[in-house]
Amino acid sequence: MLIPFDFIFSQFLSSEKLMSAEPYGSGHIHKTYQVKTNSQQDYILQKINHKIFTNVPALQDNIEKVLDYLKKRKDDFDNSLKMILLKNGKSYYLDAQGNYWRAFIFIPDSKTFNKIASSDLAYEGGKAFGSFLYSLQDFPVDTLYETIPEFHDLDHRMSQFEQSVNNDTLQRLNEIETEIEFVSSRVSKMRRILELGKQNKIPLRVTHNDTKINNVLFNKDDKAICVIDLDTVMPGYIHYDFGDAIRTGAASADEDEAELCKMFIDLELFESYSKGFLEQTVEFLNQTEIDELYFAPQLLTFIIALRFLTDYLNGDVYFKVDHEKHNLQRWYAQKQLLLSMEENEHEMRQILKKIEKDLKNKS
Ligand code: ADP
Ligand code: GN1
Ligand code: MG
């Protein structure tokens, strides 16, 4: 039997009466509900995916630390994202069935986009993730628990892929033989960022690591409010954050677009996002980090495409899917996007150089 929502919610706020709890948003990981109560305030109630985040207390501790830190810094950074604590001071509730729950104040009049429709929105998205990184630049990296180890580590993702190919649990391999060839043809060039890291040319920083553009909340006037989904804030390279945001925030279509001709990198959106992002970050990034940004979208598109394909072979056990071939469809869309980024590599590089030059001339 399911534990009723009002019981769960009362663990967080016993003074308010739950009126409704409806599924909300389009995240792939947790079960998210918008809760309305007899007060003016709405809430987000989340059943945390503890198969993916296996140490929920440590996960929650990370988020609390980051939110506290941001609040204390008093930057321009918006501090609207607030978790509700239980009476015992914890930020999660473990129910009798072994499920973990957490609650946030619902940020009023906020919205997210799975795809960005204008340069202004792209600019706002870049500003939001850029200022998040700016504010966290001095956060002590080693105090954060690694919620998903080797999250964007290409070698790790490749070995998971190889394992799923070897297991071929659902005999789906025969469908994707040419896709395996595509993966093999790209791996060595994709090692670039990991290698620069090993050579200490780019530092590990506190990064968000899940900078899908729908992890930015926008207000009624399409201005960015804040970034959300802090589950993967942990050590990473700046390229991970820039790359994943471009993958989703400067693509012409949704992440799972079925009509491949509709999927390409939109250079106008790319330019606007990059401008918003670099305005916030250029002053503290080192030159190699800046010089390599052009390549980051290719790497993250490849890594996440590879994860979709791996999950397809594994029988769709990680990402939420709407239909049987959803993960495969996501793979094809992301592969198409990667091809388009490769074709436009030179232009993307030029755009970034110009933004960097203009910003440095200004200061
Ligand atoms: P997932 O990891 O499953 O993507 P998220 O934490 O991103 O989970 O939450 C899912 C969705 O819920 C978001 O994309 C956003 O639409 C909405 N959401 C999350 N937190 C808030 C909040 N505090 N206020 C308003 N909407 C929110
Ligand atoms: C997941 O949680 P959500 O939906 O924002 C995933 C990301 C992927 C993304 C692909 C913890 O993000 O890494 O890039 O789906 N998050 C986790 O859409 O695996
Ligand atoms: Mg999310």
Side-chain angles (χ1 to χ4, degrees):
M1 222 191 59
L2 283 177
I3 302 176
F5 281 118
D6 52 357
F7 177 79
I8 304 285
F9 186 71
S10 68
Q11 307 302 315
F12 292 91
L13 279 173
S14 52
S15 57
E16 293 186 24
K17 188 172 158 27
L18 181 141
M19 309 300 274
S20 64
E22 296 295 331
Y24 191 79
S26 51
H28 291 344
I29 304 297
H30 306 298
K31 288 215 167 115
T32 303
Y33 303 88
Q34 180 180 20
V35 165
K36 293 188 182 288
T37 71
N38 57 346
S39 77
Q40 297 298 310
Q41 178 87 65
D42 291 350
Y43 299 91
I44 284 282
L45 184 64
Q46 276 184 330
K47 183 158 118 183
I48 301 172
N49 186 328
H50 65 268
K51 292 212 173 96
I52 291 179
F53 295 100
T54 51
N55 187 343
V56 174
L59 161 78
Q60 289 297 101
D61 189 51
N62 271 9
I63 300 179
E64 283 181 55
K65 275 190 194 135
V66 170
L67 290 178
D68 282 351
Y69 182 89
L70 290 172
K71 204 162 143 194
K72 284 194 190 117
R73 268 191 63 110
K74 300 196 174 67
D75 288 334
D76 288 346
F77 197 82
D78 183 286
N79 288 307
S80 314
L81 188 62
K82 288 197 180 76
M83 272 201 297
I84 316 275
L85 299 185
L86 282 83
K87 282 198 197 87
N88 62 11
K90 291 198 170 121
S91 63
Y92 61 89
Y93 171 65
L94 173 61
D95 73 21
Q97 297 178 344
N99 290 311
Y100 292 86
W101 298 84
R102 67 183 170 198
F104 295 92
I105 290 175
F106 186 98
I107 298 176
D109 300 318
S110 61
K111 57 188 175 183
T112 56
F113 299 98
N114 291 333
K115 181 172 87 65
I116 291 297
S118 74
S119 294
D120 289 348
L121 284 171
Y123 173 81
E124 284 291 316
K127 207 169 125 186
F129 279 124
S131 63
F132 182 79
L133 291 165
Y134 173 85
S135 293
L136 291 177
Q137 62 183 291
D138 296 322
F139 188 101
V141 184
D142 49 2
T143 61
L144 286 177
Y145 165 76
E146 223 178 331
T147 53
I148 305 182
E150 302 176 290
F151 191 55
H152 290 309
D153 185 305
L154 179 68
D155 291 337
H156 173 63
R157 294 303 183 184
M158 274 308 291
S159 77
Q160 288 182 323
F161 175 65
E162 281 153 13
Q163 206 177 335
S164 70
V165 168
N166 290 337
N167 294 347
D168 190 22
T169 330
L170 297 187
Q171 275 102 54
R172 286 176 164 178
L173 201 56
N174 54 354
E175 268 174 276
I176 64 142
E177 255 147 38
T178 48
E179 309 316 311
I180 297 182
E181 279 168 35
F182 182 84
V183 170
S184 309
S185 69
R186 296 300 190 281
V187 189
S188 58
K189 89 163 189 183
M190 295 296 168
R191 289 229 158 77
R192 193 179 175 83
I193 297 298
L194 272 186
E195 274 154 19
L196 289 169
K198 280 184 194 142
Q199 294 158 15
N200 291 322
K201 292 191 174 147
I202 54 174
L204 275 175
R205 299 180 177 280
V206 174
T207 45
H208 182 287
N209 294 304
D210 191 358
T211 53
K212 191 154 95 169
I213 207 69
N214 76 9
N215 285 327
V216 177
L217 294 184
F218 290 86
N219 70 15
K220 280 197 285 232
D221 305 321
D222 287 347
K223 298 286 177 218
I225 306 173
C226 64
V227 311
I228 56 165
D229 205 345
L230 307 184
D231 299 327
T232 48
V233 175
M234 54 187 173
Y237 298 117
I238 200 86
H239 305 89
Y240 297 158
D241 279 8
F242 182 72
D244 199 15
I246 296 301
R247 176 185 78 83
T248 47
S252 60
D254 280 349
E255 156 182 92
D256 59 351
E257 175 60 54
E259 284 180 62
L260 295 183
C261 60
K262 291 191 180 157
M263 179 57 115
F264 51 88
I265 179 79
D266 181 321
L267 293 180
E268 247 179 73
L269 297 180
F270 174 73
E271 180 169 357
S272 302
Y273 184 94
S274 303
K275 190 161 179 290
F277 183 84
L278 277 171
E279 278 175 7
Q280 303 296 320
T281 55
V282 79
E283 70 177 61
F284 69 87
L285 298 181
N286 77 30
Q287 195 58 45
T288 311
E289 286 177 298
I290 299 173
D291 291 345
E292 295 297 326
L293 283 178
Y294 80 94
F295 176 69
Q298 293 184 38
L299 172 64
L300 268 288
T301 304
F302 181 76
I303 288 181
I304 290 160
L306 187 65
R307 290 173 59 200
F308 289 145
L309 192 59
T310 304
D311 200 34
Y312 181 67
L313 287 177
N314 289 344
D316 312 309
V317 291
Y318 189 96
F319 296 105
K320 279 186 206 156
V321 288
D322 295 339
H323 54 86
E324 202 198 317
K325 304 243 173 193
H326 203 169
N327 270 318
L328 190 59
Q329 185 176 319
R330 287 170 176 150
W331 154 266
Y332 281 120
Q334 295 300 302
K335 175 182 157 192
Q336 187 61 34
L337 181 60
L338 172 58
L339 290 169
S340 166
M341 286 170 176
E342 287 177 343
E343 260 175 43
N344 286 283
E345 183 178 302
H346 177 72
E347 285 80 354
M348 290 166 83
R349 215 169 173 169
Q350 295 309 111
I351 288 170
L352 287 168
K353 280 206 177 120
K354 175 154 190 327
I355 296 172
E356 180 195 353
K357 195 165 151 229
D358 290 350
L359 287 171
K360 287 188 171 160
N361 281 344
K362 252 197 224 165
S363 61

